[in-house]
Amino acid sequence: ASPVLWKIREVVRNLTKENIKSSVAELNQLVGMYGNDAKIFLIHCLLEALDLSIPPQKESKWDSAGRSPRLLLLQHEITQSANSSNFVSIICQALERSGREALSNIENDGFLVEIDESKGQKPIPLSAEYLASLCKTVKLGLPQAISIGLAAAHSQSKTTRSEASSFLRVLAFELAAGGRGTLNANAFKALLEHIKTDPVLQKDSEKVQELIRNLCELHIFLLGGTP
């Protein structure tokens, strides 16, 4: 594997409150030099530290404190990535590789590559409970949680896409009912498109139209009106 990836893992493992500034500076330098592959692997390592497997909200392998430096860094990385054009790709790949089995997919001098199902590689399915646990543990706001769900909805795994849809249905109604925050333009458009193509929601067209109407009213400032 690439020395760069092992270095990222080492820095994450050794991250403490005392060295967080210098460690984050080093990680930023590595990500700046090696791009999205390094960013994906960094988020992967931070997710692995949380160990949000079964059961949900299981105590982390490395961290038990809610304000641990790794948790704070994960919050920062997700928030920062949410504003990038390739957020869906970054988060989806990092989430699917958050299990231990994912390390077997490190190829090409240690850099992460797209999963090739023709070669027997399979993305790791994620559940709605996992996504909810992740968002709760990382203390993401409702708009950020929806962005995570939208990212997972683009997974190569059919199971993950289905689970992400279940997750998004709950959050969409919560947001429409006056949940805190609003979405950016890209996330708003993506959520509307997802709602219109969700086969479960389409069974009740009246309910869907009401949901879309409430979301549009909440995001009127994105439609040329005023809040």
Side-chain angles (χ1 to χ4, degrees):
S2 166
V4 175
L5 298 190
W6 292 122
K7 182 61 178 177
I8 289 174
R9 179 178 290 280
E10 179 186 4
V11 174
V12 170
R13 283 185 179 274
N14 295 323
L15 191 63
T16 66
K17 293 179 181 179
E18 289 72 26
N19 67 15
I20 188 168
K21 287 186 178 181
S22 59
S23 296
V24 169
E26 184 174 8
L27 290 169
N28 286 340
Q29 183 179 31
L30 291 170
V31 170
M33 292 173 62
Y34 296 96
N36 285 340
D37 288 323
K39 168 75 83 173
I40 291 166
F41 192 73
L42 170 57
I43 296 176
H44 159 81
C45 289
L46 293 168
L47 286 168
E48 187 183 47
L50 290 178
D51 191 17
L52 294 173
S53 55
I54 303 300
Q57 300 175 37
K58 175 181 177 182
E59 182 174 300
S60 140
K61 289 177 290 187
W62 302 339
D63 302 312
S64 58
R67 301 293 292 176
S68 73
R70 274 174 285 271
L71 182 56
L72 292 174
L73 181 55
L74 180 58
Q75 291 171 337
H76 170 75
E77 290 297 329
I78 290 178
T79 300
Q80 185 182 61
S81 297
N83 296 320
S84 65
S85 59
N86 56 355
F87 172 78
V88 168
S89 175
I90 290 174
I91 296 299
C92 198
Q93 289 187 67
L95 285 172
E96 288 182 334
R97 290 173 168 84
S98 61
R100 289 182 179 275
E101 302 96 320
L103 292 180
S104 64
N105 289 327
I106 298 176
E107 300 176 355
N108 295 342
D109 195 28
F111 282 93
L112 296 167
V113 297
E114 292 293 333
I115 292 172
D116 186 347
E117 296 197 18
S118 68
K119 296 180 181 179
Q121 297 175 337
K122 297 291 182 181
I124 301 168
L126 303 172
S127 68
E129 289 77 14
Y130 176 96
L131 295 173
S133 178
L134 169 63
C135 294
K136 180 177 180 179
T137 300
V138 184
K139 296 181 175 60
L140 298 180
L142 185 54
Q144 293 170 318
I146 289 174
S147 293
I148 290 290
L150 289 170
H154 286 77
S155 170
Q156 296 180 54
S157 164
K158 182 178 179 180
T159 299
T160 295
R161 293 197 301 271
S162 177
E163 291 289 313
S165 291
S166 298
F167 179 66
L168 284 170
R169 281 194 289 275
V170 174
L171 298 188
F173 280 105
E174 183 180 343
L175 183 64
R180 294 184 178 180
T182 55
L183 304 174
N184 61 39
N186 290 335
F188 177 60
K189 179 181 178 181
L191 180 60
L192 290 185
E193 291 176 352
H194 183 83
I195 290 171
K196 292 175 182 178
T197 57
D198 185 329
V200 174
L201 289 176
Q202 293 310 309
K203 294 178 181 179
D204 189 340
S205 59
E206 185 176 336
K207 193 173 184 178
V208 169
Q209 291 305 314
E210 181 183 2
L211 173 61
I212 292 175
R213 183 168 59 253
N214 290 338
L215 288 172
C216 287
E217 288 178 357
L218 182 65
H219 294 84
I220 189 67
F221 63 96
L222 294 177
L223 303 173
T226 55

